[in-house]
Amino acid sequence: QVQLVESGGGLVQAGDSLRLSCAASGRTLSRYAMGWFRQAPGKEREFVAGISRFGGNRYYADSVRGRFTISRDNAKNTVYLQMNSLKPEDTAVYYCAADSTYGSGTSIARESDYDYWGQGTQVTVSS
């Protein structure tokens, strides 16, 4: 079992930055690829960014590429999402998730491939 706890969300203005953190406990984080997803009101949850077990590969949704950066510190069992140049359309609940199957023909962008999820943290961007 892995427990994931997100933090760092909040209310910001367009153009501001936020850094989300996802702290893991229960098992060594390096066993898992990690992803960030988000869900806006009235919309389905969508992939935002993903990172391989030791950070060698990173993946981004087109909507955030160039503005968001995913990183991880396995020694601290923590994954981060640095969000710059935030836009109102980035408003959503952000979730981190752990994927034990990465590299086995699965897609890091696919929700169903993830084993564990955090409870989410709200990010609100005002215009």
Side-chain angles (χ1 to χ4, degrees), residues 10 21-22 26 30 46 48 56 65 69 71 76 85-86 93 96-97 111:
S21 298
C22 173
S30 59
E46 63 176 1
V48 175
R65 186 174 291 111
T69 302
S71 62
K76 295 183 178 180
S85 303
L86 283 162
V93 177
C96 71
E111 277 191 58

Side-chain angles (χ1 to χ4, degrees), residues 35-77:
W36 285 97
F37 290 75
R38 68 185 181 187
Q39 187 168 23
K43 295 187 177 181
E44 295 187 351
R45 190 156 56 185
E46 63 176 1
F47 171 77
V48 175
I51 189 167
S52 56
R53 291 183 178 87
F54 295 98
N57 294 299
R58 307 183 192 200
Y59 309 84
Y60 297 96
D62 289 343
S63 58
V64 306
R65 186 174 291 111
R67 299 187 297 122
F68 290 11
T69 302
I70 188 170
S71 62
R72 66 190 297 160
D73 185 340
N74 287 342
K76 295 183 178 180
N77 261 14

Side-chain angles (χ1 to χ4, degrees), residues 8-12 18 20 83 86 88 90-94 121-125:
L11 172 62
V12 297
L18 276 177
L20 304 184
M83 307 187 294
L86 283 162
D90 294 319
T91 295
V93 177
Y94 283 71
T121 185
Q122 176 70 48
V123 172
T124 303
V125 184

Side-chain angles (χ1 to χ4, degrees), residues 61-118:
D62 289 343
S63 58
V64 306
R65 186 174 291 111
R67 299 187 297 122
F68 290 11
T69 302
I70 188 170
S71 62
R72 66 190 297 160
D73 185 340
N74 287 342
K76 295 183 178 180
N77 261 14
T78 303
V79 179
Y80 305 97
L81 185 67
Q82 177 66 43
M83 307 187 294
N84 298 331
S85 303
L86 283 162
K87 304 176 182 180
E89 51 263 44
D90 294 319
T91 295
V93 177
Y94 283 71
Y95 300 88
C96 71
D99 175 10
S100 66
T101 65
Y102 174 76
S104 303
T106 59
S107 169
I108 202 165
R110 188 162 56 210
E111 277 191 58
S112 59
D113 288 334
Y114 286 79
D115 306 280
Y116 304 102
W117 292 82

